[in-house]
Amino acid sequence: ILNADCRVVRMRVLANLANSEDNKVTMFEHGGLVESVLKIATLDLSDSAREFASAALMDLASCPYNQVPMARSDKLLGTLVKLAVIDDKAETREFAVTGLQNLAYAKENRKR
């Protein structure tokens, strides 16, 4: 098990990578990556680790190619809503709300 500082640094690296347009599709399609980010976003006790997980999800959701498949994931949507509503850190809440807004941009995601 990684200590909190290691988890924060790893999530920060992933968030920085997800910020690049060239990486968004590759990261989303990488098996297990989004699931791991969701686990950190949901369960980690570190505010900073959850913040960077939320930022990574927001950036992945900004890619039109990712928006429809991401919105089909109840777990992903539930995680963003949870972060947006109850997280203690304002930045984490803001990233989660922006992630939801990004997903709502695709017309296919506006009705379910």
Side-chain angles (χ1 to χ4, degrees), residues 1-54:
I1 297 177
L2 295 174
N3 69 36
D5 291 337
C6 288
R7 290 192 311 276
V8 170
V9 169
R10 288 179 183 207
M11 286 311 309
R12 185 174 184 181
V13 168
L14 287 176
N16 286 334
L17 288 170
N19 191 257
S20 170
E21 291 300 321
D22 294 337
N23 296 331
K24 294 177 193 294
V25 173
T26 303
M27 290 177 72
F28 178 70
E29 291 180 341
H30 188 279
L33 181 69
V34 172
E35 190 66 33
S36 296
V37 173
L38 290 173
K39 185 175 181 180
I40 295 292
T42 304
L43 301 174
D44 205 287
L45 299 178
S46 166
D47 290 342
S48 295
R50 289 193 314 277
E51 175 189 356
F52 291 125
S54 187

Side-chain angles (χ1 to χ4, degrees), residues 5 41 65 67-70 81-83 88 100:
D5 291 337
Y65 180 86
Q67 290 170 346
V68 172
M70 286 180 80
V81 169
K82 177 185 173 192
L83 290 170
D88 293 333
L100 290 167

Side-chain angles (χ1 to χ4, degrees), residues 58-77:
M58 172 192 70
D59 284 331
L60 292 176
S62 72
C63 175
Y65 180 86
N66 294 344
Q67 290 170 346
V68 172
M70 286 180 80
R72 288 187 182 138
S73 169
D74 290 336
K75 185 172 185 176
L76 191 144
L77 292 174

Side-chain angles (χ1 to χ4, degrees), residues 41 46-59 77-102:
S46 166
D47 290 342
S48 295
R50 289 193 314 277
E51 175 189 356
F52 291 125
S54 187
L57 293 171
M58 172 192 70
D59 284 331
L77 292 174
T79 299
L80 288 174
V81 169
K82 177 185 173 192
L83 290 170
V85 173
I86 67 169
D87 201 86
D88 293 333
K89 203 167 188 180
E91 293 86 351
T92 303
R93 294 191 308 271
E94 181 179 339
F95 293 146
V97 168
T98 304
L100 290 167
Q101 289 174 325
N102 289 342

